Amino acid sequence: MKGSLKMTSLLSHLRNSSKKTKINTNRKRRKLRNHNSISIPKDLPYPQQEEDDDEEENAEEGFKLKSSAPSHTHGVQPLGNLYLNPGSINFRDTGLGTLHTLSDELVLEILGFLDSSDLGVLSTVSKSFYVFTNHEPLWRNLVLENLNGGFQFNGSWKSTYVAASYPSFDISSNALQSFKVRDFYSDYLFQSWLCANLEMKPEWLERDNIVRKRGISVEEFVFNFEEPNKPVLLEGSIDNWDALRNWDRDYLMHLSGDVKFAVGPVEMKLGDYLRYSDQVREERPLYLFDPKFTEKVPKLGSEYEVPVYFREDLFGVLGSERPDYRWIIIGPAGSGSSFHVDPNSTSAWNAVIKGSKKWILFPPDVIPPGVHPSPDGSEVASPVSIMEWFMNFYGATKNWKKKPVECVCKAGEVIFVPNGWWHLVINLEESIAITQNYVSRRNLLNVLDFLNRPNASTLVSGTRDRVNLYDKFKNAIEASFPGEIDELTRKEAEKKVQQKKLSFWDSVSDSNAGAFKFSF
């Protein structure tokens, strides 16, 4: 009765204000799905085909499914296939009844308000509702919201939820077995499956235009990369780390298998997380990203040291009150971070210990395609997943005048990410890494300016005291380094004057000489 009343209330609200709801929902979403119609050419296996056919390749687009890719659990096909089958009807629409006019996103967003019992009841209404209510991200949210990391992944999020909530239930029984629905067409649901099962295209990995350096001095690093705010990949700078020799699955499990680490919105035992990462095949895999790892397992902190290039970290003057700044990162292939700028206007370094990562970086004045930051920078709308960005937007960068900086960072290598640079990272295989954000004299003024913005309370991250961080940091710097801020401010003003002079003379041209310019 409870579920029936809740659903009736939701549907009544929708009938009265569906257009308004749709507009508001789309405005607030931080993840955007590309809505271009998809179709599967004949040489790409349909999602309902068996795994024996999954090696075939789409000759037109070059997309290739992973060798272990399963067929779509419920036989969902892209909408384009409906147009290639005259006379077919879309059971997606007939099963939703009067709600068929709502977008798939909105249907799923509404279902997200329901609990597991409601979803179970609604799944019996029609084949269409069966498919929607079994959408894995709905059950993933239920697991993460209700089980607080205390779960063991069982092949699917629905099975995981049922096994944890009803221990006496036999999850291997036919009651949880899925069945396929014929003639169900949905780009949104299909693309979620497709993004989870696509291989990275070779051309997405070919471009490697980052500057690589080995054995450079700190002075060279500062002059050529930190001062001009340019990324660089450093080789050989962590060869002395014990972590580079020791950190593999067996070692970490022995050292910290029962320790809980931050994984998305929950904390999970390392052993449970690795069990999940071994089985999962989803569009946005959970990522172990823990800022307190050295406190939880001190030995991990003793097995690496900050590379010599990044040892000036002025946030250190705040001691225990400094914002979060270092993380251990573990994730399966396909996990990673979508486009973002590092917190608090800091610069960062990222050292790969095991595995490899694909990096794409855009300078501060270039917003990546498909990414839409709000005017105040507090929100960023972007594609639902990293793979979707590659599918729909990566190709556009080929013709850009300001092409992104790209590389594959492998074990033993360190990438420097300058402050303000947009970057995306995807693990090409199971990977382990360490990353730290820091403040040096080169970006101190940027950080202070960021912390002093009017909306700092929404922009500042990694600390509970967002409002007072600017005053605390500035006062601590002035106490530890008297006159440093004034000196840096003076140098910055001189630099801007010099740049204006250069800009003026560089723009002077002889009217009779066409493109000739003075150069000093």
Side-chain angles (χ1 to χ4, degrees), residues 242-259:
D242 290 336
L244 196 60
R245 292 183 287 274
N246 298 337
W247 289 15
D248 57 23
R249 271 184 164 234
D250 292 339
Y251 181 81
L252 293 179
M253 278 295 296
H254 174 75
L255 195 63
S256 53
D258 289 327
V259 176

Side-chain angles (χ1 to χ4, degrees), residues 151-419:
F151 63 88
Q152 292 190 332
F153 192 73
N154 279 291
S156 75
W157 286 107
K158 184 176 181 180
S159 294
T160 301
Y161 183 86
V162 172
S165 303
Y166 308 97
S168 61
F169 187 86
D170 181 9
I171 62 172
S172 62
S173 68
N174 290 332
L176 283 182
Q177 297 303 308
S178 300
F179 66 85
K180 290 179 171 35
V181 177
R182 293 185 60 84
D183 296 325
F184 189 106
Y185 301 94
S186 165
D187 280 350
Y188 190 90
L189 298 182
F190 178 80
Q191 188 155 300
S192 179
W193 171 86
L194 186 64
C195 289
N197 290 284
L198 275 184
E199 292 277 11
M200 291 286 288
K201 292 173 67 173
E203 67 184 66
W204 295 344
L205 304 175
E206 286 174 356
R207 192 185 297 166
D208 193 321
N209 57 354
I210 198 169
V211 176
R212 293 172 176 266
K213 292 293 181 179
R214 175 183 287 271
I216 62 173
S217 66
V218 174
E219 291 72 24
E220 288 178 279
F221 168 75
V222 170
F223 182 78
N224 292 316
F225 302 104
E226 196 176 30
E227 281 281 7
N229 212 42
K230 295 180 179 179
V232 62
L233 191 144
L234 300 165
E235 301 173 344
S237 61
I238 62 170
D239 288 350
N240 63 329
W241 281 15
D242 290 336
L244 196 60
R245 292 183 287 274
N246 298 337
W247 289 15
D248 57 23
R249 271 184 164 234
D250 292 339
Y251 181 81
L252 293 179
M253 278 295 296
H254 174 75
L255 195 63
S256 53
D258 289 327
V259 176
K260 289 187 175 183
F261 293 95
V263 176
V266 299
E267 290 211 338
M268 295 177 65
K269 290 182 180 179
L270 178 62
D272 290 341
Y273 176 74
L274 293 178
R275 172 186 171 127
Y276 156 83
S277 67
D278 284 341
Q279 301 178 59
V280 71
R281 179 64 60 78
E282 60 183 332
E283 186 176 13
R284 294 180 294 126
L286 291 174
Y287 210 10
L288 190 155
F289 206 89
D290 195 294
K292 308 295 182 185
F293 72 100
T294 60
E295 299 166 28
K296 296 174 180 178
V297 188
K299 188 168 178 58
L300 293 178
S302 70
E303 294 191 325
Y304 83 97
E305 61 181 2
V306 176
V308 64
Y309 308 104
F310 316 111
R311 290 182 182 169
E312 181 184 64
D313 186 358
L314 299 179
F315 256 147
V317 298
L318 290 175
S320 61
E321 291 189 281
R322 71 172 299 165
D324 293 337
Y325 69 104
R326 57 183 175 185
W327 294 264
I328 186 173
I329 311 172
I330 303 176
S335 60
S337 299
S338 56
F339 274 111
H340 65 283
V341 174
D342 277 339
N344 306 329
S345 198
T346 55
S347 297
W349 57 269
N350 185 297
V352 178
I353 297 171
K354 287 288 184 294
S356 57
K357 298 172 180 284
K358 168 70 178 183
W359 285 78
I360 299 182
L361 305 97
F362 286 89
D365 62 331
V366 178
I367 298 176
V371 176
H372 307 280
S374 61
D376 66 356
S378 61
E379 297 283 339
V380 177
S382 62
V384 169
S385 66
I386 298 171
M387 189 62 75
E388 184 182 350
W389 185 86
F390 274 100
M391 288 174 59
N392 295 318
F393 298 103
Y394 178 80
T397 66
K398 290 182 178 180
N399 301 320
W400 282 29
K401 184 176 181 180
K402 290 187 176 181
K403 291 182 172 61
V405 173
E406 300 183 40
C407 68
V408 172
C409 191
K410 300 177 180 178
E413 297 177 338
V414 179
I415 186 171
F416 165 62
V417 183
N419 74 87

